[in-house]
Amino acid sequence: MGLVQTWRWFGPNDPVALQEIRQAGATGVVTALHQIPVGEAWSVEEIRTRKAAIEADGLTWLVAESVPVHEEIKKRTGDYRRWIENYKRTVQNLGRSGVTVVCYNFMPVLDWVRTDLRVVFRDGSITTKFEADIFAAFDLFILNRPGAEKDYSEADGDRIRRLYEGMSEADKDRLTQTVLLGLPGSLEAYSLERLRTAIGEYEGMRAPALRENLQEFLKDIIPVAEESGVRMAIHPDDPPWQILGLPRIVTDSDDLDEILSVSNSPAHGITLCTGSYGAKHSNDLVDMATRFAHRIAFVHLRNVSRTERGDFLEENHLEGDVDMPGVMRAILVEQKRRESEGGRDIPFRPDHGHLMQPDAQKHGIYPGYSLFGRMRGLAELRGLELGIRRSMNL
Ligand code: DNO
């Protein structure tokens, strides 16, 4: 017994093979049917085909990440009713097929955002970072978002303009491509025009309205998930603060209190992502892991070093500002409680890893989803788990 070690796999096109995942020591796979357009239902047949491919390599599909939420559900516009019905079908079909955790997020327009996906780390490996000023330069001078200047003070605006003026054309291009990258697992990137339009469609929507739309979505989905034996695991916003004038509502403990108050169902859970929450200076991840322990359905373990101003760099798993041993200890205390009640084991995955030298031989590795970097992370986390369990008799 213990935590379930899982690994995100992007499906048959992932340059990391299932056998490699198995030999890295994971037993569970986290994947999604990325080929199905956002909003459409995942059929039992397609789910079972993917499941069989995973099982053929001796692994188990445990978590669906992500089942993306259609933008019209977040805005409650257009065909949102239809997308919600489809979402229910997907959840039912996953449950029926034995995939019992669904990781999803409620971030408008963009999923995770970075300003540099190829940062040379102190040991020569490649990692990612987010710099608030650089991102503001994108917002103000590349995207030219209408009304953006209202989000920055005059002094900030001047500093950011100087920064932008000092950037080469190549820097600007690279930044643009980085922000437009789109969702992990999808090859589709936004164009600047499409991004501007998509943001414009949220015009005037503030956090309370988005929160209400999430609540309505949950009222529809949670009962279906419960009946289907599925735990919904909401993923935090990354970074966990408002960007590009878009509201973000899954950023800290207060947000979680509010979201979780919608339902006490065991099907209404969270993804504790230590990297996403960890980017916010005021978030104490040990405290969050302890407070929300009962609601943890899935864990992403990764580390960041961060500044108060909202810059962060993805670190090695055991280095950085997140107290990983403290988080692991809190999760293991919860795991022990579940074991004593005959509950399900908690799945975690080493989230993101640096691109290490041997990874460079593989083509098409999605930023953060290297083989060796994540294998290092998993090995360290596995050792940490074992050490804590032994020393605490957990
Ligand atoms: C990035 C990931 C996120 C995550 C989704 C979950 O690497 O952690 O894209 O999968 O936000 O819905």
Side-chain angles (χ1 to χ4, degrees), residues 8 65-66 103-105 107 111 184 235 300 349 352 369:
R8 190 177 197 179
E65 176 183 359
S66 294
C103 175
Y104 68 105
N105 70 73
M107 287 177 252
D111 193 294
H235 187 280
H300 287 179
R349 67 176 179 85
H352 302 182
Y369 289 94

